[in-house]
Amino acid sequence: MLSKGTKVSVKVETLVLFGATGDLAQRMLFPSLYNLHLDGLLAGELTIIGSGRSKRDRSAFQGQVREALAEHLPADRIEEAGVENFLERIDYCAIDAGAGTGYEELAALLGDRLGRPIGVYLSTPPSMFGPIAQGLRAANIACAECRIAMEKPIGHDLASSRDVNAQVGDAFAEDRVFRIDHYLGKETVQNLLALRFANMLFEPLWNAQAIDHVQITVAETVGLEGRVSYYDGVGALKDMVQNHMLQLLAIIAMEPPSSVSSTAVRDEKVKLLRSLRRMTAEDVKAHSVKGQYTSGAVNGGAVAGYADELGDPSNTETFVALKAYIDNWRWKGVPFYLRTGKRMPQRKSEVLIQFKPVPHNIFARVGAGKLNANSMIINLQPEENIRVKVMAKQPGLDREGVKLKEVTMDVSLSHSFAGERRRIAYERLLLDFIEGDQTLFVRRDEVEAQWQWIDSIRDAWGQVDMAPQNYTAGSWGPSSAIALIERDGASWHD
Ligand code: BG6
């Protein structure tokens, strides 16, 4: 729905995928590209060059992609002729980005395509972003029409993200840099914009006058999933809050952009991110909770604790809950409670908007009792629905007083749009990248504003020496996370 924002340039003719033998490429990127191919959305001349450190020939790599498609796509999407045509687009070039070798071979393989629009997609360890951008520039592969996409994280704090951005910026202008946050590719996240700005119903109430607080939950049932080397030392704050949750927060809380152009939307998001109140040592004691899961049960199966999976004790948090404030007119005094964790009882991402109670209860004298304040629950995944809780009168003659009851207005998006195939977030992001639309990508100033706030929390955690508290796998986090919100008279929507 967002699309057709500002296009920076023509479509890329060649996609060079670094990290092409890695997990993300196999699970998401090739299946997404294949889906686009099958739907006729990729131009005939688009060539995809996979790149990894190991040497292998074109047909061996095509075989690997074929297996990845079979493994990660539903059987009804696999069409033999479609797969064959798709594989025809694919080539391979070994590049050792760490050693800085292989760029000349890539340039040779590109041949006539050199100097024409090339999209370079980095699905590599983040420490490689700067060196690859430099390597491409040195080999004249970073032409004016060329662009680069990068997975998260961009750096590990503000200073290092500035370094990465500067190194990449030396080779590619900002309007050629596409920073990926795959949450922005999710249909339901884009739908938040439609909900807020394509309806009159909500926006007049979307402020501190009518809203008591907001909750954002991103709960996962998975644990480390073999990502030990990446995750330990990173933790939930940097892995989930710095990017996905702050993007959600920005979309929920930003001022209305004047259009869905990439500049208009991203200007509003960055303003919002800069309004987040930084946390001090005093703040983190009262407004943050870190947790780490111990052994327990998830989805009916026993699971090991984080330290056991790791094989060592660790201070890394697998859960974080925060109470955040946005210092601007619209949100004065409204707490935003954020929580995310691994090994939670269920996978769910949702936003809860808790409205204030009505100013005066006209039903009090006729025995109707307490009126529940309205709330709106926006489920982003796995269910896609919006529920609004409102008070209604129970039918009857009311001889013994009026009876009111909370009822739910339920809009199921998967039901309303039943015939439409749900696309992988990366389909949207890859297509926008190929076509040059930056709206759903994170701008440099956004990523830096995100780090600025996260650094304030990490610095404050360091000052008070905050260690994660244990929670049993399969629970909603440490009990102090419950206290964090209940102290304010509210409770998490579980
Ligand atoms: C990634 C994180 O960015 O997002 C993972 O690194 C996390 O730790 C994943 O599991 C969650 O994504 P999704 O799309 O499954 O909600």
Side-chain angles (χ1 to χ4, degrees):
M1 94 109 232
L2 261 184
S3 170
K4 311 322 143 210
T6 336
K7 297 256 172 82
V8 292
S9 52
V10 292
K11 292 183 183 183
V12 302
E13 294 171 8
T14 314
L15 195 60
V16 181
L17 189 52
F18 282 75
T21 57
D23 181 59
L24 183 76
Q26 307 291 304
R27 252 183 331 109
M28 294 285 175
L29 303 179
F30 282 112
S32 300
L33 286 165
Y34 168 78
N35 275 336
L36 295 173
H37 166 90
L38 209 57
D39 292 345
L41 293 165
L42 299 183
E45 74 268 18
L46 181 81
T47 297
I48 302 165
I49 302 180
S51 156
R53 261 189 313 177
S54 57
K55 295 227 182 302
R56 62 190 76 193
D57 63 20
R58 181 176 182 219
S59 71
F61 184 62
Q62 288 173 333
Q64 187 180 358
V65 173
R66 182 197 295 279
E67 280 172 26
L69 300 182
E71 191 178 343
H72 299 291
L73 282 168
D76 62 356
R77 284 296 286 174
I78 300 288
E79 290 176 15
E80 211 28 61
V83 172
E84 285 311 315
N85 288 338
F86 177 65
L87 293 179
E88 278 304 301
R89 295 178 182 274
I90 294 180
D91 214 327
Y92 184 79
C93 180
I95 299 179
D96 187 337
T101 56
Y103 294 103
E104 299 307 325
E105 288 77 358
L106 177 61
L109 184 63
L110 285 164
D112 290 350
R113 290 168 176 261
L114 208 57
R116 306 198 42 81
I118 297 168
V120 178
Y121 192 110
L122 308 186
S123 167
T124 64
S127 56
M128 291 292 108
F129 297 166
I132 293 175
Q134 300 294 331
L136 292 167
R137 189 174 71 149
N140 285 325
I141 303 173
C143 70
E145 289 280 18
C146 294
R147 64 196 72 143
I148 191 163
M150 290 176 291
E151 282 292 335
K152 73 166 211 344
I154 310 290
H156 50 85
D157 58 11
L158 177 61
S160 56
S161 77
R162 281 188 174 141
D163 284 349
V164 175
N165 284 327
Q167 284 177 45
V168 172
D170 268 354
F172 295 88
E174 178 60 25
D175 64 0
R176 312 283 153 172
V177 179
F178 291 66
R179 295 178 193 80
I180 292 155
D181 185 311
H182 79 276
Y183 269 53
L184 296 180
K186 292 183 192 271
E187 198 64 61
T188 45
V189 175
Q190 292 159 39
N191 196 37
L192 288 171
L193 286 177
L195 182 76
R196 283 195 62 196
F197 304 122
N199 295 295
M200 191 57 202
L201 213 49
F202 309 114
E203 201 49 28
L205 298 179
W206 215 255
N207 54 49
Q209 277 72 51
I211 291 178
D212 178 78
H213 73 267
V214 175
Q215 298 180 20
I216 305 177
T217 296
V218 177
E220 300 185 278
T221 52
V222 292
L224 266 184
E225 311 299 307
R227 295 164 81 219
V228 179
S229 59
Y230 156 72
Y231 195 86
D232 195 55
V234 173
L237 184 72
K238 291 197 207 174
D239 184 48
M240 295 297 282
V241 182
Q242 189 272 340
N243 35 76
H244 309 320
M245 295 196 74
L246 286 187
Q247 284 293 323
L248 281 177
L249 174 73
I251 292 174
I252 289 157
M254 70 183 180
E255 296 301 313
S258 59
S259 74
V260 288
S261 78
S262 57
T263 304
V265 172
R266 298 188 303 173
D267 280 353
E268 293 308 335
K269 281 196 291 167
V270 80
K271 256 168 59 190
L272 190 285
L273 292 164
R274 286 183 181 147
S275 312
L276 276 166
R277 188 185 302 167
R278 309 230 183 121
M279 292 212 196
T280 62
E282 272 315 298
D283 293 333
V284 288
K285 284 194 237 158
H287 295 174
S288 79
V289 172
K290 284 163 93 170
Q292 188 185 91
Y293 62 84
T294 55
S295 59
V298 177
N299 292 334
V303 296
Y306 179 82
D308 304 325
E309 276 182 75
L310 193 66
D312 263 321
S314 161
N315 247 340
T316 300
E317 81 284 356
T318 59
F319 172 94
V320 63
L322 300 166
K323 176 177 168 185
Y325 281 104
I326 295 164
D327 284 331
N328 66 15
W329 277 38
R330 182 188 284 262
W331 296 115
K332 176 151 179 64
V334 179
F336 283 71
Y337 300 98
L338 314 180
R339 72 177 163 164
T340 182
K342 302 228 179 256
R343 293 290 190 220
M344 305 265 99
Q346 68 186 90
R347 176 173 187 244
K348 83 165 178 183
S349 297
E350 73 166 31
V351 177
L352 171 118
I353 311 289
Q354 179 61 57
F355 291 93
K356 291 188 168 163
V358 291
H360 169 66
N361 180 359
I362 65 163
F363 300 99
R365 291 225 193 127
V366 289
K370 185 172 158 281
L371 298 183
N372 290 350
N374 300 135
S375 58
M376 178 155 91
I377 299 132
I378 308 164
N379 282 111
L380 305 171
Q381 63 183 26
E383 272 96 51
E384 302 177 8
N385 55 33
I386 299 168
R387 279 172 294 151
V388 183
K389 300 207 171 169
V390 295
M391 297 304 291
K393 179 183 167 303
Q394 205 161 304
L397 297 176
D398 308 327
R399 295 306 90 189
E400 279 153 23
V402 178
K403 298 243 174 345
L404 299 181
K405 197 176 156 210
E406 189 177 70
V407 295
T408 304
M409 299 193 323
D410 210 328
V411 184
S412 161
L413 296 175
S414 21
H415 190 251
S416 305
F417 298 104
E420 319 241 341
R421 181 167 73 78
R422 286 295 185 260
R423 290 186 177 275
I424 306 171
Y426 280 99
E427 290 182 43
R428 174 58 191 265
L429 296 176
L430 280 159
L431 195 60
D432 283 358
F433 175 57
I434 289 166
E435 295 187 349
D437 185 339
Q438 286 190 305
T439 312
L440 296 180
F441 295 83
V442 183
R443 208 167 57 188
R444 176 177 183 160
D445 48 4
E446 282 180 84
V447 100
E448 293 181 358
Q450 289 168 344
W451 276 123
Q452 210 143 34
W453 190 65
I454 295 297
D455 282 359
S456 78
I457 299 171
R458 288 184 54 78
D459 290 349
W461 278 353
Q463 285 167 39
V464 299
D465 221 357
M466 197 184 289
Q469 295 161 26
N470 287 343
Y471 64 97
T472 309
S475 72
W476 285 108
S479 53
S480 46
I482 298 167
L484 172 92
I485 187 165
E486 295 203 338
R487 272 199 297 271
D488 298 340
S491 45
W492 293 108
H493 182 254
D494 287 339

